[in-house]
Amino acid sequence: DYYSDFGSAAKPKFALAYKPFNDLTFRISYSESFVAPSLPQLFTTSGLPAETSVVDPKNPTAGAITTLALTSGNPHLKPENAYMYYAGVIWSPGSTDPDHSPLGWANGFSAYFNWFQLDQHQVFGVLTPQNIVDLGAAAPPGNTVVRNAQGTITEITNTYLNLGDSRSEGIETGFTYNSKEYSWGKIDLE
């Protein structure tokens, strides 16, 4: 892939399927991907306005106040990178020759087990206006709180940032059963 504002990237994918015998299949894969920041995420300078409610830690007794929040771009934003790992197994007993298989009674049955893990790096997004107010002077560059002469918040600016890393993983299991067509009908279970 090539992006005029980002550059180029080549991300591989490898996959392997192995059948030790016809009724059993093992699958594994590894892939990489990226997400280039959009033009607004990079170059919005005037800020996209929205109203928001925040609680000012300098005056918490006032409760939630409504103020203006501006979201602006960040030309130093790096692309997100992701790495995906997958492993799975499918068992379909007697599927290749149901008439001669000792497991022919299970023809139409299939069970599966899948595992995956997704590691994302340099995930981009924005801090919430409340996060920026709570952080105050410790907020990352480009994330500011503007106050009037009385000390009331009048505007919050948040900037797109590379927020960090994320990991998602999971397991999926299940089965399907599709019977032969009989004079009375057919059974499909999932």
Side-chain angles (χ1 to χ4, degrees):
D1 290 324
Y2 177 77
Y3 293 83
S4 62
D5 59 330
F6 161 69
S8 62
K11 298 294 182 177
K13 178 177 181 176
F14 302 98
L16 175 69
Y18 172 63
K19 285 185 132 184
F21 50 92
N22 286 333
D23 297 346
L24 187 65
T25 304
F26 293 96
R27 300 179 299 181
I28 59 170
S29 69
Y30 167 79
S31 61
E32 296 179 8
S33 65
F34 74 99
V35 177
S38 68
L39 292 175
Q41 290 171 327
L42 290 170
F43 302 116
T44 300
T45 55
S46 59
L48 300 172
E51 283 190 350
T52 189
S53 293
V54 294
V55 175
D56 188 352
K58 292 186 177 182
N59 187 11
T61 56
I65 60 169
T66 301
T67 187
L68 182 65
L70 300 171
T71 302
S72 61
N74 178 356
H76 303 293
L77 206 58
K78 294 180 174 83
E80 291 183 12
N81 288 294
Y83 304 89
M84 179 75 162
Y85 309 90
Y86 166 83
V89 61
I90 301 172
W91 179 52
S92 303
S95 64
T96 54
D97 188 8
D99 295 331
H100 299 98
S101 170
L103 298 173
W105 57 269
N107 184 32
F109 176 82
S110 183
Y112 61 89
F113 176 88
N114 298 318
W115 167 85
F116 71 89
Q117 178 177 306
L118 173 63
D119 292 329
Q120 294 174 280
H121 302 283
Q122 301 287 350
V123 175
F124 42 77
V126 293
L127 297 176
T128 66
Q130 187 64 57
N131 290 144
I132 296 166
V133 170
D134 291 343
L135 288 169
N143 294 274
T144 58
V145 176
V146 177
R147 295 176 182 273
N148 62 17
Q150 291 78 33
T152 304
I153 297 172
T154 58
E155 184 179 294
I156 301 168
T157 301
N158 58 358
T159 303
Y160 282 95
L161 301 168
N162 290 104
L163 297 175
D165 299 336
S166 170
R167 173 174 282 178
S168 302
E169 52 190 342
I171 293 174
E172 176 188 41
T173 62
F175 75 91
T176 59
Y177 177 71
N178 300 310
S179 74
K180 296 187 289 186
E181 188 76 38
Y182 295 100
S183 59
W184 48 267
K186 178 178 177 174
I187 298 174
D188 289 343
L189 297 174
E190 193 170 314

